[in-house]
């Protein structure tokens, strides 16, 4: 399992468009990808679950990746989140 944390830089948080882009990116990988916000968690590949977390601007989240392509998914998702979310 691989994991990373980041602070949300999108002014609207992880809602609507940022959630859709993150979900689309996560679906490129076979690994299970879970996002944690406080005590809540969601499957990043399910947009409604992702949006239901209510992650706002400047809040910290943790993403855990587990599966056959976790190394690639970790590297690419980490870079994507830090640059776009």
């Amino acid at each position: 399992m691989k994991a990373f944390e980041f602070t949300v830089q999108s002014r609207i948080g992880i809602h609507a468009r940022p959630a859709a882009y993150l979900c689309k990116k996560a679906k490129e990988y076979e690994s299970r990808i879970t996002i944690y916000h406080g005590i809540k968690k969601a499957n990043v590949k399910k947009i409604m679950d992702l949006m239901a977390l209510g992650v706002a601007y400047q809040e910290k989240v943790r993403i855990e990746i587990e599966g056959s392509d976790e190394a690639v998914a970790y590297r690419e998702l980490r870079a994507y989140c830090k640059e776009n979310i």
Side-chain angles (χ1 to χ4, degrees):
M1 181 192 56
K2 300 228 178 237
F4 65 92
E5 292 183 356
F6 70 97
T7 301
V8 175
Q9 298 301 312
S10 170
R11 296 267 182 208
I12 60 172
I14 300 179
H15 193 269
R17 188 167 290 139
Y21 290 142
L22 181 56
C23 182
K24 181 179 178 183
K25 184 69 177 165
K27 287 180 179 180
E28 295 176 10
Y29 311 103
E30 290 184 25
S31 294
R32 182 171 32 116
I33 303 168
T34 307
I35 187 169
Y36 294 86
H37 178 241
I39 60 170
K40 298 183 211 173
K41 70 178 182 175
N43 180 341
V44 178
K45 296 178 184 180
K46 295 183 178 181
I47 192 166
M48 295 308 290
D49 291 353
L50 188 56
M51 288 176 49
L53 289 177
V55 181
Y57 174 64
Q58 291 290 305
E59 291 186 328
K60 284 190 177 185
V61 295
R62 176 181 172 85
I63 292 184
E64 292 183 357
I65 306 162
E66 188 170 6
S68 61
D69 58 354
E70 68 185 32
V72 173
Y74 168 81
R75 184 177 62 249
E76 293 180 3
L77 276 174
R78 185 171 181 259
Y80 179 82
C81 289
K82 298 216 181 243
E83 293 174 16
N84 299 292
I85 304 293

